Amino acid sequence: MSNTDWKKFERLVAAIHYAETQGATVLWNDTINGRQFDVTLRFKVGLHDYLTVIECKDYRDRVSVEKVDAFVTKARDVNANKAVFVSSNGYQSGCFAVAERHGIRLLTLDEKVDVDVGKIAAEIVPALNIFNVRFILQDGKEYVLEEEGGRLAYLMRSITLSISGHKTTPNGFLGSWRVNISDLQPEMEYEQVLPFPKGTVATIPYEGEVEPEKIKFCYKLTKAFIPKAPTLDTHILEGIGTFYELTDENGNVIRKLTAGEINLGFDTKLEAGKFYFTPSLYNYYYCEKIENNLAHNILIESYQFGALIQAELVLETKYSAHYIEVTDKKRLKRLKKMLTHFMKTRR
């Protein structure tokens, strides 16, 4: 997952409740009396108004008792009628007693991927997977080659490495590296560091130059498939095959939804001059103009098998819920450069 996954997790929880709660006003990143809540639900039954507040934690470890205790106080401060905690990785054992004592519901949301490879594969073969690639810079800092949405494959073939007067790519540089796959344990992760010759300069498309001293990466022996016919890139297949399970305190699945049933941009209204992305496809767009309920978008960044795809398209604004506005400053800087280049080459 990317470094914006905590926001994605919160939005995911909000979108699920938006889809499942008819007639409620669902807000993401809401503030009540100076208190911030990841998700809130407001609805009316008969003559009375009700408020549900939700805390979301996308942690590697289980949620601590202290976090649940703090949420109890937070929910009481705004007189919430119901308080719900949603974790991506469960809870410490003491959390359940605290939750039962204070009427807090503890839920766990799990993301899973189910791709029926058998339907599209002509053959399954062993393959070496290289991932988590980083340039180690002269000051010891790391420049991480982004993996999301197939971007790593693009960078490995598109970054220009200027080495001792010659130019190559990260793929070309790694061409001289050898590993005996018969010595590797399937699916076990290994790490490798290779030095660059002194004075190496790496030019990253639409981002600029860095001067790396080393390239560091992980690799593992895994399984790949040879398709029966032309197919979509793996990250697209995984996006289509993603589904979510929401479980209660006893581990019972109370709701299962596919990615296609959830609109993370449930509160999005497309506006001209802004950038957006579709989470399941990892596509980035620029909304050029809106006329007669039609949004004229430019697909600025999309990858298929290591190639950058750009295009123009028109869609009805009623499909806005499939899009989320891009707010990350670093990504916006790159998208603006890509848009400028696209406009210059546009016919």
Side-chain angles (χ1 to χ4, degrees):
M1 288 191 176
S2 70
N3 58 5
T4 58
D5 276 345
W6 65 273
K7 293 183 180 180
K8 176 186 173 182
F9 188 74
E10 293 173 7
R11 271 202 162 275
L12 180 59
V13 172
I16 289 173
H17 283 83
Y18 182 83
E20 293 293 303
T21 311
Q22 299 297 323
T25 298
V26 180
L27 296 177
W28 168 69
N29 192 24
D30 193 12
T31 301
I32 305 174
N33 299 334
R35 291 278 201 173
Q36 187 275 336
F37 291 91
D38 297 330
V39 183
T40 60
L41 283 76
R42 293 175 174 83
F43 55 94
K44 188 171 185 176
V45 178
L47 301 175
H48 306 289
D49 296 318
Y50 294 87
L51 170 66
T52 296
V53 294
I54 304 175
E55 187 86 351
C56 308
K57 295 300 180 187
D58 187 15
Y59 289 165
R60 292 181 181 273
D61 300 319
R62 296 177 184 274
V63 172
S64 67
V65 176
E66 291 75 17
K67 293 293 183 183
V68 177
D69 262 329
F71 184 50
V72 169
T73 302
K74 190 175 174 182
R76 282 179 175 173
D77 281 352
V78 297
N79 295 317
N81 302 99
K82 186 64 179 177
V84 180
F85 211 115
V86 183
S87 166
S88 62
N89 201 33
Y91 304 86
Q92 293 179 359
S93 58
C95 294
F96 299 100
V98 173
E100 184 176 4
R101 187 162 64 249
H102 297 285
I104 306 293
R105 191 171 196 191
L106 301 183
L107 303 178
T108 300
L109 182 63
D110 192 17
E111 179 181 280
K112 298 181 179 181
V113 177
D114 183 17
V115 178
D116 190 350
V117 176
K119 290 184 177 180
I120 58 178
E123 184 180 359
I124 305 294
V125 296
L128 189 67
N129 181 23
I130 293 177
F131 58 100
N132 196 16
V133 183
R134 293 145 285 165
F135 289 147
I136 309 300
L137 308 182
Q138 294 179 3
D139 58 3
K141 293 182 179 179
E142 295 186 351
Y143 182 95
V144 179
L145 273 61
E146 185 181 339
E147 296 189 32
E148 185 180 74
R151 181 166 168 78
L152 179 60
Y154 167 76
L155 291 175
M156 292 296 285
R157 62 186 285 184
S158 300
I159 289 176
T160 300
L161 293 174
S162 300
I163 303 175
S164 304
H166 299 282
K167 296 186 182 298
T168 186
T169 64
N171 277 344
F173 182 77
L174 293 186
S176 60
W177 171 68
R178 296 289 184 269
V179 61
N180 189 349
I181 63 173
S182 63
D183 295 334
L184 304 181
Q185 294 294 322
E187 300 302 331
M188 179 178 289
E189 295 186 7
Y190 300 85
E191 190 173 73
Q192 180 71 45
V193 179
L194 299 175
F196 285 119
K198 188 175 181 179
T200 295
V201 176
T203 304
I204 296 94
Y206 305 104
E207 291 194 4
E209 295 182 349
V210 296
E211 298 182 9
E213 288 190 340
K214 305 172 185 176
I215 184 169
K216 186 177 182 180
F217 57 93
C218 296
Y219 62 97
K220 64 180 178 180
L221 180 64
T222 187
K223 294 180 180 179
F225 68 90
I226 299 175
K228 298 176 182 177
T231 187
L232 297 170
D233 203 339
T234 304
H235 70 275
I236 300 294
L237 293 175
E238 290 178 351
I240 295 172
T242 296
F243 67 95
Y244 302 93
E245 287 186 345
L246 194 63
T247 57
D248 62 15
E249 296 88 342
N250 299 314
N252 300 314
V253 178
I254 59 175
R255 194 68 175 94
K256 179 178 177 180
L257 301 99
T258 65
E261 295 177 282
I262 306 169
N263 290 323
L264 291 181
F266 65 92
D267 55 354
T268 296
K269 293 183 179 179
L270 291 175
E271 297 180 35
K274 292 187 176 182
F275 291 87
Y276 298 89
F277 76 104
T278 50
S280 59
L281 300 177
Y282 298 100
N283 289 344
Y284 289 82
Y285 301 84
Y286 174 73
C287 183
E288 189 172 22
K289 61 182 179 179
I290 296 178
E291 294 180 343
N292 301 320
N293 293 321
L294 294 176
H296 296 253
N297 287 354
I298 300 174
L299 175 60
I300 292 296
E301 188 175 25
S302 178
Y303 300 104
Q304 283 286 306
F305 302 104
L308 173 65
I309 307 297
Q310 296 180 316
E312 297 181 58
L313 65 154
V314 178
L315 71 146
E316 296 180 65
T317 53
K318 67 180 181 180
Y319 297 111
S320 295
H322 296 284
Y323 296 79
I324 296 177
E325 184 181 350
V326 180
T327 57
D328 180 73
K329 292 182 179 179
K330 181 180 178 181
R331 189 177 295 278
L332 280 172
K333 184 178 180 180
R334 182 173 82 222
L335 291 174
K336 289 176 181 179
K337 288 182 179 180
M338 298 177 81
L339 176 63
T340 299
H341 182 264
F342 179 86
M343 290 299 192
K344 288 180 179 179
T345 58
R346 189 183 199 180
R347 293 183 179 180

